[in-house]
Amino acid sequence: MIIPRVHNTLDITCTCIGGLLPESRRTPTVKKCFSMPSLPYCEESTLKHSWDDIARVFWNRYPNPFAKHISSDDVLQRKVVGKKMFSTRLIVKNGVLPKWGEFMFKDTSGKYLVIENSVVDPVKKTITTYTRNVSLTSFSSLEEKCTYKPSADNKGWTVCERSALSSSSVRLLAPQIVSFAMSRYRHSVVATDRGWSFVVNKFEGSPINSVLAALARSGVTKQAKLVRP
């Protein structure tokens, strides 16, 4: 059987997130990540918007025309500990299985669930998200970690360090499934960055989320409610 090889074509150096990779496959710095039947992916992209702008629209980035596959998103839990905000969000996405994969599942409605855990630190100016699918896991699993922080080259820009791991436990078809999932993921990354720009421009001039502003000034532990701009 020919195993399809998927490569990260971005000529960059990135750091694989240890929390996503098994101990045996952790590498401190890689240029192109490759492994089967699981496939890690690393990249770094630059958003030409300040970190404050990204934080301002973080919970308002859906819907946007570059994320039409997002059906809905709901906050399941949110709390503030110290000066950090921890949130858990359920995201419903629309997706179509490949024809050769539909025979494995009776439910081909095209909807699947994703859990996003996030940590926002307005003092250090970092937003870290951990995302994983919780449906169709018997077909394929995709875990992602993103860290948004001010660019070292331009304080008015934001760098997103992104690391993902696609895997499948389906015997015989695992390589094809992993290849399909990662190809779709890489395509969505481009749309995600475009979506950020669209939403930032949409909310341009809005005051920064009052909860984040309060966190930057105080370290009181409390439950927090989202205040949309």
Side-chain angles (χ1 to χ4, degrees), residues 144-184:
E144 177 197 55
K145 177 180 179 180
C146 293
T147 300
Y148 300 87
K149 60 184 181 180
S151 169
D153 299 325
N154 187 326
K155 296 302 181 182
W157 293 356
T158 303
V159 169
C160 174
E161 296 176 348
R162 183 180 284 110
S163 188
L165 179 67
S166 174
S167 61
S168 175
S169 60
V170 179
R171 293 186 178 183
L172 299 179
L173 288 177
Q176 288 84 354
I177 293 172
V178 167
S179 175
F180 170 81
M182 190 54 67
S183 176
R184 177 169 289 186

